Amino acid sequence: MKKLVAVFAPLTLALTACVATDSTSTTATSTTVGAQQLAMAAVKVGVQAKCVTELENNTYWKTGSKLLTDAKKQELQTEVCSCVGEKATTSVTATELLIAAMDKTQQASIASKVVTSTLNACVVETIQN
């Protein structure tokens, strides 16, 4: 996860610096949006990593995946954690994103909160499909 953030942070900053507009307020807004997107990407990576760990301890997952082959279990695990990652975009506020961008400890805390609040719904949704 740290490697991804280390790669995406400079890339995002470089791409944001290349954006030229006529208005200072538009530039500030673009920079803010870029920072929020970077923070959201970092949170999603953290959420997906945390999801894999939490999924193995999830009661619904343990029950629902007992009879699955390893390949099918891996496929469903990817689907569940993708669902959790997508729900992260609606579960995290702009304030939390700002905090996550500045503090790695808070980023992990936000990722845990998102996984806790969405994992069961995603497991049930995935197993039912």
Side-chain angles (χ1 to χ4, degrees):
M1 183 171 105
K2 290 180 183 179
K3 290 179 183 179
L4 285 175
V5 172
V7 170
F8 284 118
L11 178 62
T12 301
L13 291 175
L15 292 175
T16 304
C18 293
V19 175
T21 61
D22 295 332
S23 169
T24 304
S25 64
T26 305
T27 303
T29 302
S30 297
T31 303
T32 302
V33 170
Q36 285 179 340
Q37 289 172 340
L38 176 63
M40 180 52 77
V43 168
K44 280 179 88 171
V45 168
V47 164
Q48 289 183 338
K50 179 75 173 164
C51 174
V52 171
T53 303
E54 291 297 317
L55 191 58
E56 294 301 322
N57 298 323
N58 183 281
T59 304
Y60 295 128
W61 178 256
K62 285 179 181 178
T63 304
S65 66
K66 280 186 179 182
L67 300 176
L68 299 176
T69 64
D70 286 340
K72 186 64 175 177
K73 194 183 275 190
Q74 182 66 35
E75 178 185 328
L76 290 176
Q77 180 181 25
T78 301
E79 192 174 327
V80 168
C81 290
S82 293
C83 170
V84 171
E86 288 306 312
K87 289 184 186 286
T89 60
T90 59
S91 302
V92 179
T93 65
T95 304
E96 289 174 321
L97 283 178
L98 180 63
I99 292 168
M102 294 186 289
D103 185 356
K104 297 296 179 197
T105 304
Q106 287 298 318
Q107 183 182 31
S109 174
I110 291 167
S112 291
K113 179 187 111 181
V114 170
V115 171
T116 300
S117 67
T118 60
L119 184 63
N120 284 341
C122 285
V123 168
V124 170
E125 182 180 309
T126 302
I127 290 176
Q128 285 180 347
N129 292 334

PDB file of all heavy atoms in Angstrom, residues 7-19 31 34-35 38:
ATOM      1  N   VAL A   7       3.903   6.043  -5.311  1.00  0.00           N
ATOM      2  CA  VAL A   7       3.878   6.213  -6.765  1.00  0.00           C
ATOM      3  C   VAL A   7       2.810   7.209  -7.175  1.00  0.00           C
ATOM      4  O   VAL A   7       3.043   8.091  -8.006  1.00  0.00           O
ATOM      5  CB  VAL A   7       3.635   4.848  -7.461  1.00  0.00           C
ATOM      6  CG1 VAL A   7       3.360   5.042  -8.936  1.00  0.00           C
ATOM      7  CG2 VAL A   7       4.836   3.936  -7.260  1.00  0.00           C
ATOM      8  N   PHE A   8       1.617   7.096  -6.587  1.00  0.00           N
ATOM      9  CA  PHE A   8       0.502   7.941  -7.002  1.00  0.00           C
ATOM     10  C   PHE A   8       0.627   9.387  -6.526  1.00  0.00           C
ATOM     11  O   PHE A   8       0.185  10.301  -7.216  1.00  0.00           O
ATOM     12  CB  PHE A   8      -0.827   7.359  -6.522  1.00  0.00           C
ATOM     13  CG  PHE A   8      -1.274   6.196  -7.332  1.00  0.00           C
ATOM     14  CD1 PHE A   8      -1.432   4.959  -6.744  1.00  0.00           C
ATOM     15  CD2 PHE A   8      -1.528   6.315  -8.692  1.00  0.00           C
ATOM     16  CE1 PHE A   8      -1.835   3.861  -7.483  1.00  0.00           C
ATOM     17  CE2 PHE A   8      -1.932   5.232  -9.431  1.00  0.00           C
ATOM     18  CZ  PHE A   8      -2.083   3.999  -8.824  1.00  0.00           C
ATOM     19  N   ALA A   9       1.209   9.606  -5.351  1.00  0.00           N
ATOM     20  CA  ALA A   9       1.299  10.967  -4.830  1.00  0.00           C
ATOM     21  C   ALA A   9       2.104  11.885  -5.750  1.00  0.00           C
ATOM     22  O   ALA A   9       1.606  12.943  -6.165  1.00  0.00           O
ATOM     23  CB  ALA A   9       1.875  10.957  -3.419  1.00  0.00           C
ATOM     24  N   PRO A  10       3.338  11.536  -6.118  1.00  0.00           N
ATOM     25  CA  PRO A  10       4.084  12.424  -7.013  1.00  0.00           C
ATOM     26  C   PRO A  10       3.429  12.552  -8.389  1.00  0.00           C
ATOM     27  O   PRO A  10       3.418  13.634  -8.982  1.00  0.00           O
ATOM     28  CB  PRO A  10       5.458  11.762  -7.138  1.00  0.00           C
ATOM     29  CG  PRO A  10       5.564  10.834  -5.991  1.00  0.00           C
ATOM     30  CD  PRO A  10       4.169  10.445  -5.643  1.00  0.00           C
ATOM     31  N   LEU A  11       2.867  11.445  -8.875  1.00  0.00           N
ATOM     32  CA  LEU A  11       2.217  11.478 -10.175  1.00  0.00           C
ATOM     33  C   LEU A  11       1.025  12.427 -10.159  1.00  0.00           C
ATOM     34  O   LEU A  11       0.864  13.244 -11.063  1.00  0.00           O
ATOM     35  CB  LEU A  11       1.764  10.073 -10.572  1.00  0.00           C
ATOM     36  CG  LEU A  11       1.018   9.947 -11.905  1.00  0.00           C
ATOM     37  CD1 LEU A  11       1.926  10.389 -13.056  1.00  0.00           C
ATOM     38  CD2 LEU A  11       0.562   8.521 -12.119  1.00  0.00           C
ATOM     39  N   THR A  12       0.222  12.341  -9.126  1.00  0.00           N
ATOM     40  CA  THR A  12      -0.942  13.218  -9.020  1.00  0.00           C
ATOM     41  C   THR A  12      -0.516  14.666  -8.875  1.00  0.00           C
ATOM     42  O   THR A  12      -1.092  15.556  -9.498  1.00  0.00           O
ATOM     43  CB  THR A  12      -1.821  12.796  -7.830  1.00  0.00           C
ATOM     44  OG1 THR A  12      -2.217  11.446  -8.028  1.00  0.00           O
ATOM     45  CG2 THR A  12      -3.049  13.678  -7.715  1.00  0.00           C
ATOM     46  N   LEU A  13       0.499  14.908  -8.061  1.00  0.00           N
ATOM     47  CA  LEU A  13       0.972  16.280  -7.896  1.00  0.00           C
ATOM     48  C   LEU A  13       1.528  16.832  -9.201  1.00  0.00           C
ATOM     49  O   LEU A  13       1.292  17.986  -9.555  1.00  0.00           O
ATOM     50  CB  LEU A  13       2.030  16.346  -6.795  1.00  0.00           C
ATOM     51  CG  LEU A  13       1.495  16.108  -5.382  1.00  0.00           C
ATOM     52  CD1 LEU A  13       2.649  16.065  -4.391  1.00  0.00           C
ATOM     53  CD2 LEU A  13       0.490  17.162  -4.994  1.00  0.00           C
ATOM     54  N   ALA A  14       2.245  15.994  -9.933  1.00  0.00           N
ATOM     55  CA  ALA A  14       2.799  16.445 -11.215  1.00  0.00           C
ATOM     56  C   ALA A  14       1.686  16.743 -12.212  1.00  0.00           C
ATOM     57  O   ALA A  14       1.723  17.753 -12.915  1.00  0.00           O
ATOM     58  CB  ALA A  14       3.741  15.383 -11.776  1.00  0.00           C
ATOM     59  N   LEU A  15       0.696  15.878 -12.265  1.00  0.00           N
ATOM     60  CA  LEU A  15      -0.418  16.102 -13.183  1.00  0.00           C
ATOM     61  C   LEU A  15      -1.252  17.305 -12.771  1.00  0.00           C
ATOM     62  O   LEU A  15      -1.711  18.060 -13.623  1.00  0.00           O
ATOM     63  CB  LEU A  15      -1.295  14.856 -13.272  1.00  0.00           C
ATOM     64  CG  LEU A  15      -0.643  13.644 -13.946  1.00  0.00           C
ATOM     65  CD1 LEU A  15      -1.560  12.441 -13.853  1.00  0.00           C
ATOM     66  CD2 LEU A  15      -0.298  13.948 -15.391  1.00  0.00           C
ATOM     67  N   THR A  16      -1.425  17.500 -11.484  1.00  0.00           N
ATOM     68  CA  THR A  16      -2.174  18.656 -11.004  1.00  0.00           C
ATOM     69  C   THR A  16      -1.421  19.937 -11.330  1.00  0.00           C
ATOM     70  O   THR A  16      -2.022  20.950 -11.680  1.00  0.00           O
ATOM     71  CB  THR A  16      -2.408  18.556  -9.482  1.00  0.00           C
ATOM     72  OG1 THR A  16      -3.060  17.319  -9.211  1.00  0.00           O
ATOM     73  CG2 THR A  16      -3.271  19.689  -8.976  1.00  0.00           C
ATOM     74  N   ALA A  17      -0.103  19.909 -11.244  1.00  0.00           N
ATOM     75  CA  ALA A  17       0.704  21.097 -11.533  1.00  0.00           C
ATOM     76  C   ALA A  17       0.637  21.469 -13.004  1.00  0.00           C
ATOM     77  O   ALA A  17       0.814  22.631 -13.367  1.00  0.00           O
ATOM     78  CB  ALA A  17       2.151  20.854 -11.122  1.00  0.00           C
ATOM     79  N   CYS A  18       0.359  20.501 -13.853  1.00  0.00           N
ATOM     80  CA  CYS A  18       0.290  20.767 -15.286  1.00  0.00           C
ATOM     81  C   CYS A  18      -1.010  21.446 -15.704  1.00  0.00           C
ATOM     82  O   CYS A  18      -1.106  21.971 -16.809  1.00  0.00           O
ATOM     83  CB  CYS A  18       0.430  19.464 -16.080  1.00  0.00           C
ATOM     84  SG  CYS A  18       2.061  18.735 -15.933  1.00  0.00           S
ATOM     85  N   VAL A  19      -2.002  21.430 -14.848  1.00  0.00           N
ATOM     86  CA  VAL A  19      -3.289  22.030 -15.184  1.00  0.00           C
ATOM     87  C   VAL A  19      -3.146  23.544 -15.130  1.00  0.00           C
ATOM     88  O   VAL A  19      -2.754  24.115 -14.124  1.00  0.00           O
ATOM     89  CB  VAL A  19      -4.378  21.561 -14.185  1.00  0.00           C
ATOM     90  CG1 VAL A  19      -5.685  22.285 -14.453  1.00  0.00           C
ATOM     91  CG2 VAL A  19      -4.559  20.065 -14.277  1.00  0.00           C
ATOM     92  N   THR A  31      -7.032  21.861  -7.672  1.00  0.00           N
ATOM     93  CA  THR A  31      -6.050  21.275  -6.774  1.00  0.00           C
ATOM     94  C   THR A  31      -6.743  20.546  -5.634  1.00  0.00           C
ATOM     95  O   THR A  31      -6.348  19.445  -5.265  1.00  0.00           O
ATOM     96  CB  THR A  31      -5.103  22.354  -6.220  1.00  0.00           C
ATOM     97  OG1 THR A  31      -4.489  23.004  -7.323  1.00  0.00           O
ATOM     98  CG2 THR A  31      -4.052  21.766  -5.328  1.00  0.00           C
ATOM     99  N   GLY A  34      -8.192  17.390  -6.977  1.00  0.00           N
ATOM    100  CA  GLY A  34      -7.096  16.448  -7.194  1.00  0.00           C
ATOM    101  C   GLY A  34      -6.616  15.838  -5.895  1.00  0.00           C
ATOM    102  O   GLY A  34      -6.346  14.633  -5.823  1.00  0.00           O
ATOM    103  N   ALA A  35      -6.516  16.651  -4.847  1.00  0.00           N
ATOM    104  CA  ALA A  35      -6.095  16.151  -3.546  1.00  0.00           C
ATOM    105  C   ALA A  35      -7.134  15.185  -2.975  1.00  0.00           C
ATOM    106  O   ALA A  35      -6.777  14.159  -2.397  1.00  0.00           O
ATOM    107  CB  ALA A  35      -5.866  17.307  -2.580  1.00  0.00           C
ATOM    108  N   LEU A  38      -6.809  11.918  -4.811  1.00  0.00           N
ATOM    109  CA  LEU A  38      -5.638  11.191  -4.325  1.00  0.00           C
ATOM    110  C   LEU A  38      -5.929  10.553  -2.978  1.00  0.00           C
ATOM    111  O   LEU A  38      -5.615   9.381  -2.758  1.00  0.00           O
ATOM    112  CB  LEU A  38      -4.435  12.136  -4.218  1.00  0.00           C
ATOM    113  CG  LEU A  38      -3.170  11.540  -3.623  1.00  0.00           C
ATOM    114  CD1 LEU A  38      -2.659  10.413  -4.510  1.00  0.00           C
ATOM    115  CD2 LEU A  38      -2.114  12.608  -3.468  1.00  0.00           C
TER     116      LEU A  38
END
